[in-house]
Every structure is written in C-alpha cells, then in structure tokens.
Amino acid sequence: MEGAVPVIAIDGPSGSGKGTVGRFLARRLGWHFLDSGLLYRLVGLAALRRGIPLDDEERLGALARSLEAAFREGPDGELQVLLEGEDVTEALRGEGCAAAASRVAALPPVRQALLERQRAFRRPPGLVADGRDMGTVVFPDAPLKVFLTASREARARRRYNQLKGKDAGVNLAAILEELAERDARDSARSISPLRPAPDAVTVDTTALTVDEAVARILALWRERAGKDGGSFGKGGSS
Ligand code: C5P
C-alpha cells in the first residue's frame, strides 16, 4: 500500500451530502473525484431508454460492460456526463433515474462490470470517491473511510431543494417515501449493501453546513496523513 495513490472513500445514503462534500473536498485537495452513483444512474438510464427490464441480469451486465460514457467539465465548471455522445446530465438527476439505478445496482453482473471502471479513477495525486461501497468493496485499502449520514428528513429536504427549481411537480412527501424505499433496497441487498466499513469514521451532517463537513473530513485526513509520516503524498497540506 505504501506509495499507492491515496483515496478518501465517502459512503452514505442518498442526500447525506456525499456528492457536494466530496466534490468540495476534492477541490480543496486538488484531487480527482468519482461520483460512483452516476455510473449506476447511467446504466439505469440506458436500460430505461432501451426498454431492458430492470431485473434482466444478463442484458444489464452486458450493457454496463459496453456502456459508452464520458465525463467532461462544462462551461460553468460543472461536470457534464455524456452517454453515447449525448449530454444526459439533467436526465441523470431525476428520481426515476435514481430508482432505476438502485434496481440495477442490486445485480452482481452490473456491479462487477462497474468495478474496474471505478478503480480507473484512482490516479495521482489522489481520489475522493463517493458512493455506497467505496470503503467496503471498491477501495478497501483507502487510508481514510468516512460514512456520511443525516436524518432522513434532512436528506429529503436537501433533495427537494435541489430539485424544486428544475421540476415544478416536485413533492417533499413523495421524496421522503422514495428515499425510504431506496434506503431499504440499498441496505438490504445481498451484494455490496450500504453499510459503514468497520474502519470508517461516521460523520453526521444533519446539523452541519457543507463547509463544516468538508473541514471535519480534512481534519481527519490531516491527522491520518500526519500519523503515516506523509507517505500518502502531499494531499491535505493546502
Ligand atoms: O448516489 P446516487 O444517489 O446517485 O446513487 C444512485 C443509486 O446507485 C443508489 O441508490 C444506489 O442504489 C446505487 N449506488 C450503488 N453503489 C454506489 C453508488 C450508487 O449501489 N457505489
């Protein structure tokens, strides 16, 4: 592990703030960022568009293996996601897509197909990876694993605030219900269920701002990197 590219794994349920906190953290450290949920959403979206049943393991596994996806920075600095050359960034954010993602994510061939794609994001000087199984399965040797949580109400409200500007029909009660269903599916599945790695540090963001959550993880990282005598690279010194 010495000399390996460092990874900060951030796992947690939907709406815990992983995406925003992870992105800010990566920016502060000057590291790469992997939003692994986007890969599952891409498979979900492609399956819906092609009319592939969301329980057809064989076809969905093949779809995940052959998926032609690309990521680039848009003019506003935001991440854009391309599926077969088409910008699908907006389509991926929808709750329909999230639900499809959580269905296909329960299938072993899909998870297996996405494993190497996720590991390919580990490049110098470091990677902040967010998802459900970053610390348990994809990067089990990550020197820092964080499990980000928040109350379900706080998570639903965050999702509502994200979506309401874009979707006039958005409804808090429906989001709360959908989150509960997705939490149950993500935690109960037999493969890579959502759960903290034994060596993860839990950070509850219910009462934290994004900046506070980022500061807390940066402090954890500095403590960890300091103890290691700096062999994780110079990330975290900024
Ligand atoms: O993080 P996000 O909400 O975009 O993820 C969408 C769905 O993808 C999750 O509900 C989960 O089922 C699945 N997922 C996963 N493993 C990951 C990331 C996401 O199973 N590492």
Side-chain angles (χ1 to χ4, degrees), residues 102-122:
S102 124
R103 298 269 310 272
V104 300
L107 307 175
V110 171
R111 300 204 76 85
Q112 185 58 38
L114 295 186
L115 201 54
E116 286 315 312
R117 281 184 186 246
Q118 294 172 87
R119 290 184 175 151
F121 280 79
R122 185 174 196 170

Side-chain angles (χ1 to χ4, degrees), residues 123-195:
R123 292 191 307 268
L127 175 70
V128 176
D130 106 44
R132 306 293 188 290
D133 60 345
M134 298 297 100
T136 49
V137 176
V138 183
F139 303 109
D141 66 338
L144 177 61
K145 300 175 186 176
V146 176
F147 195 77
L148 222 55
T149 59
S151 71
R152 189 171 287 152
E153 287 66 29
R155 295 190 284 118
R157 185 155 295 282
R158 287 175 192 164
R159 190 66 91 186
Y160 174 78
N161 289 335
Q162 264 173 4
L163 294 174
K164 76 175 175 204
K166 298 176 186 124
D167 176 359
V170 64
N171 167 325
L172 184 60
I175 290 182
L176 198 55
E177 193 174 319
E178 201 275 335
L179 263 186
E181 269 173 34
R182 205 139 63 91
D183 283 353
R185 194 159 45 221
D186 291 349
S187 312
R189 68 180 175 220
S190 55
I191 178 166
S192 300
L194 170 68
R195 70 171 56 124

